[in-house]
Amino acid sequence: MFGCIILVLREREFHTMENEKSQAGLKKSLALIFVYTVATGSIFTYVSYWDSVFFNYCGPGTFLAFALMSLAILPVALVYSELSSLFHTAGGELIYNTVALNKHAGFFASWLIMAAWISVPPAVVMAIATFISRTFGLALDFQKIMLIAIVILLIVFFMSLQDIQFLVKAQAFCLFANITTTLLTGVLLLCSGHWHLSNLSPLFQTNLESISGIPGWVIGMALLITPFFGFETVPQMVEEGDFPISNTKKAICGSVLTCGAIYTFFFFCVAGLDSFQTLLAGGQDGFMTINAMKNLLGWQIWPLIYGLVSILLGMTASILGFWMSIVRMLYAMGQKNFLPSIVTKLNKHQQPIVPNVFLLLLTLTFVLMQNATTFMNDFFNLMSFGCACAYALTMISAIVMRSKHAKWYANSHSTVVGGNALRILAMVIMVAIAYFCTLGQGRGSWISFGVYMSVGVLIWLWMVLVKWRHSRVVIETPDGKQEF
């Protein structure tokens, strides 16, 4: 009898330990559709506010620039699909660049991609606050707009501490509402009676000057990488996915193709409404399409509906997608000994606590640094540059990893067609885009970038001089856990 009792107690103890172990990390509960919506929602956000920035850079040919950028980004997305199928934990750029190069490259690649991600929440909440002020005739000054933005950030922060299922379902609803109204708006513009093909000529107009013989329109197209970044959030969610790891390709490439097609269609519809100068004159500081519907077409109800859905819901979807990804990157850095282990502490909903608090403080700092005249362009350009640099470094690592660990690719279902030729093409594309992005940076962008990178350098120095002297980075690879 006592033997049976002991066996029962041991069995219960075993199951208790297993349950605690399964609950110790991030919850593995995400269906593929929600990982796809996290990526797509992160990408698809800028059409109704930054439309004046896009049009300023590429004019009537903005739709063509988006189509070309879709083609340029696709090889990069395919390489990311290949890499994400090899590793089963969150980390993305952190893992890829550490394994292929070294932990220092891994740290700064992840810090660079987070420069793009972290730029989104402060820029987007300012856009939402500005839209609220204008739409409801509040005529708020910049300080009051900033206060509304801070309140929105606090709401997002408290949402991010909730269960992952709540977050992804809320984001999916916001995303699909935004996609539906954007497509419907495009159709309405085409059928408005005001749309003419002649308004697309000349196609390659831009307000950017040529630099070193490179046409301003080409520089503008390179800066359009910003409306595409977000597909790389998928590797941050794989640890919580309950689907085969090879299916991440569907989420990554699907998000790029979905958004690229909508961007191309929508800006083709917008460009035909009137001349380059007329359209920009009505939206120099954002909301160009909404203003065009009001001023050129005389519409009042639909611009309000479109704006409310696209700004309030669409941008909320973007904030949630990037917020979740940043938190998981910081969590992964803690797990793998790139940051102190305190960042891995979870709340009762299995959401990382310290990364959420750190992100809130950092985004509040960025909001407070903004000014009333240039913050939109400064943040847009900062996103472009940080994202392009991280992509370029990761493409280099993809080539190196294929050479160093060829056996990992033997049974992979996501190995890219064309092998190193495609990886090299992706690398060349991203190096070129990163260079073009430097030509479009303004003083405000470099100041923001410098402040952000200074924080990263301080953390990296602390790790090099203190933490890594006594412990090593640990990455889970296809060969098991390895130290770097």
Side-chain angles (χ1 to χ4, degrees), residues 233-250:
T233 61
V234 171
Q236 313 312 319
M237 314 303 294
V238 294
E239 193 168 331
E240 295 161 274
D242 62 356
F243 51 86
I245 194 72
S246 60
N247 284 351
T248 55
K249 181 177 181 179
K250 298 177 182 178

Side-chain angles (χ1 to χ4, degrees), residues 64-76 228 256-257 260 425 429:
L64 178 60
F66 272 115
L68 293 174
M69 185 55 69
S70 299
L71 295 176
I73 287 293
L74 198 54
V76 181
F228 281 95
V256 171
L257 293 173
L425 173 63
I429 290 172

